[in-house]
Amino acid sequence: MKEIDLRSDTVTKPTKGMMNAIVNAEVGDDVYKEDPTVNELEEKLAKMFGMDEALFFPTGSMANQAAIKLHTQPADQLICDKWAHVYNYEGGGASFNSGVSCKLVDGHRGMITASQVEENINPPDFYHSPLTTLVCLENTTNKGGGACYDFEEIKKIRQVCDAHNLGLHLDGARLFNALVAKKEDPKEYGKLFDTISVCLSKGLGTPLGTVLIGNKKVMKNAMRVRKVLGGGMRQVGFMAAAGVYALDNHVERLAEDHKRASEIGDVLGEQEYVSEVEPVETNIVIFYLKRMTDEPAFMEALQKQNIRISNMGQGKLRIVTHLDYSEEMHHRFLNVLREIKL
Ligand SMILES: *Cc1c(COP(=O)(O)O)cnc(C)c1O
């Protein structure tokens, strides 16, 4: 029985087409900025978002950490949601790399509002508290279950940032999921944010790579910061080729992942053993069992069918659909969910 791995959209392997793009890539030394394929990928994304520059990073964490470094000075404070990836899942990098603290906001499904941002800015002349210099948003939210921001709220957050002279960074690890789900234009995002990180290795299905996109003024030191973090890579055009291929071939199809996730949410909602399914907006389904004590039996029932999902703790179970989750697997999985008895 073929394994169905729904733990994350990072488990995908390159498709045939992507593999061809990788092996046929024209490469050079990217630390000298001489890799034509990396340059092509960076130009493509900068243009797509209507921003000045883009820079290829090995991971999303490194791209976010570089952005934080570019926007802040040691002892500054950034504002983010309490569930933010930059705070919870980057190993404490904000304090280690940039010497900044995070002011955590109690948002909704990983999203914060303009008034919450405003309330959490420390008065700049009050030297007892850290100086607020940056706001980090996440779209779609990871721990928030793939929820998407209302674009009007982001516009209001930008106004607050302008009024208080704060930088605005978007952790867009799954931004393409939001763009497809809400039919939004990347250029509109480029107009509002100072920096945007977009992962190629999540729903888009490359083996690795995240691009940090931004305007000239903020990106001035980006190459140096990437070097300091150890992220300058040589013939990495092989991976950039996978990125170019993914942007050309794997963006529109994210709608299929969203459709399947929504169908999984519907089927879960009909099951006796499920107490709640969070609204499914993109490719992530978060749900809770009626009795938390049933979790081991539920996970074991899936394991027996060679199906893997994530247990995020506190009763939170997570399913993520992706490129390697086929229609055939989908039908099998839905049937398994319908047949489980706890
Ligand atoms: C996956 C992810 C990242 C980056 O993770 P890496 O594993 O370092 O590539 C950043 N932010 C969010 C919201 C993510 O889901």
Side-chain angles (χ1 to χ4, degrees):
M1 208 174 356
K2 223 173 163 179
E3 182 183 65
I4 300 179
D5 192 346
L6 295 165
R7 288 171 302 162
S8 172
D9 45 8
T10 54
V11 300
T12 59
K13 296 179 185 140
T15 59
K16 270 213 174 73
M18 184 178 285
M19 206 50 127
N20 276 332
I22 292 171
V23 298
N24 292 314
E26 209 186 309
V27 297
D29 189 335
D30 184 50
V31 174
Y32 292 136
K33 271 274 139 248
E34 285 171 7
D35 188 304
T37 312
V38 175
N39 293 340
E40 179 193 344
L41 173 70
E42 291 172 347
E43 278 161 31
K44 193 178 172 77
L45 276 162
K47 199 165 158 225
M48 190 183 288
F49 284 80
M51 298 182 93
D52 299 332
E53 289 177 24
L55 196 64
F56 188 77
F57 282 80
T59 68
S61 297
M62 197 190 283
N64 284 334
Q65 290 302 316
I68 293 170
K69 184 72 195 160
L70 292 170
H71 283 284
T72 60
Q73 292 299 319
D76 285 357
Q77 190 165 68
L78 67 82
I79 294 174
C80 64
D81 182 84
K82 63 185 184 299
W83 286 350
H85 195 280
V86 294
Y87 175 73
N88 289 284
Y89 300 120
E90 297 183 6
S95 51
F96 187 86
N97 299 310
S98 301
V100 302
S101 56
C102 299
K103 182 71 167 272
L104 301 181
V105 178
D106 187 17
H108 174 64
R109 302 191 77 200
M111 298 176 291
I112 58 180
T113 64
S115 51
Q116 283 179 315
V117 170
E118 189 134 44
E119 286 159 17
N120 282 286
I121 300 169
N122 295 327
D125 298 329
F126 188 67
Y127 53 78
H128 306 272
S129 49
L131 183 68
T132 310
T133 48
L134 174 65
V135 176
C136 293
L137 306 183
E138 201 171 298
N139 201 22
T140 69
T141 61
N142 178 340
K143 213 173 172 178
C148 305
Y149 263 92
D150 172 3
F151 196 74
E152 291 306 310
E153 197 61 41
I154 302 178
K155 279 190 189 160
K156 288 185 201 154
I157 293 173
R158 175 77 256 179
Q159 286 168 2
V160 171
C161 291
D162 286 342
H164 296 270
N165 202 20
L166 311 180
L168 183 58
H169 171 66
L170 176 62
D171 176 353
R174 294 190 180 81
L175 181 56
F176 279 102
N177 292 86
L179 293 173
V180 168
K182 308 262 296 204
K183 299 189 169 45
E184 291 168 336
D185 178 357
K187 288 197 176 62
E188 293 298 313
Y189 278 81
K191 281 183 203 158
L192 293 187
F193 287 92
D194 299 305
T195 46
I196 301 175
S197 60
V198 289
C199 285
L200 303 164
S201 57
K202 298 262 163 93
L204 297 187
T206 74
L208 62 84
T210 292
V211 177
L212 182 67
I213 312 160
N215 287 325
K216 249 200 179 79
K217 203 169 142 227
V218 192
M219 295 292 281
K220 189 169 159 268
N221 252 336
M223 290 264 277
R224 175 179 293 279
V225 169
R226 185 181 70 175
K227 187 72 185 164
V228 171
L229 296 173
M233 298 179 287
R234 304 296 177 177
Q235 284 73 28
V236 75
F238 292 115
M239 291 300 105
V244 171
Y245 180 89
L247 290 172
D248 290 341
N249 296 279
H250 293 169
V251 174
E252 297 306 320
R253 66 150 305 285
L254 290 171
E256 287 175 38
D257 297 345
H258 300 170
K259 181 167 169 284
R260 288 185 188 128
S262 152
E263 288 166 1
I264 293 168
D266 289 346
V267 168
L268 281 169
E270 292 160 4
Q271 305 311 309
E272 261 301 299
Y273 54 81
V274 171
S275 70
E276 187 202 340
V277 185
E278 287 186 11
V280 180
E281 294 184 42
T282 52
N283 68 329
I284 303 179
V285 185
I286 289 185
F287 65 103
Y288 303 83
L289 299 185
K290 271 207 183 113
R291 292 176 303 268
M292 227 165 117
T293 46
D294 279 345
E295 256 174 40
F298 180 73
M299 297 302 264
E300 201 186 305
L302 292 180
Q303 201 84 63
K304 273 201 187 118
Q305 299 290 331
N306 211 6
I307 296 167
R308 306 177 79 178
I309 69 167
S310 288
N311 185 342
M312 300 184 84
Q314 284 134 20
K316 210 175 211 184
L317 299 175
R318 188 183 84 166
I319 287 165
V320 189
T321 57
H322 52 72
L323 187 58
D324 286 358
Y325 177 60
S326 65
E327 193 61 20
E328 190 193 330
M329 291 175 180
H330 185 47
H331 287 296
R332 184 158 82 80
F333 181 51
L334 293 182
N335 282 331
V336 168
L337 290 178
R338 287 186 185 110
E339 278 159 23
I340 288 178
K341 298 269 179 293
L342 296 175

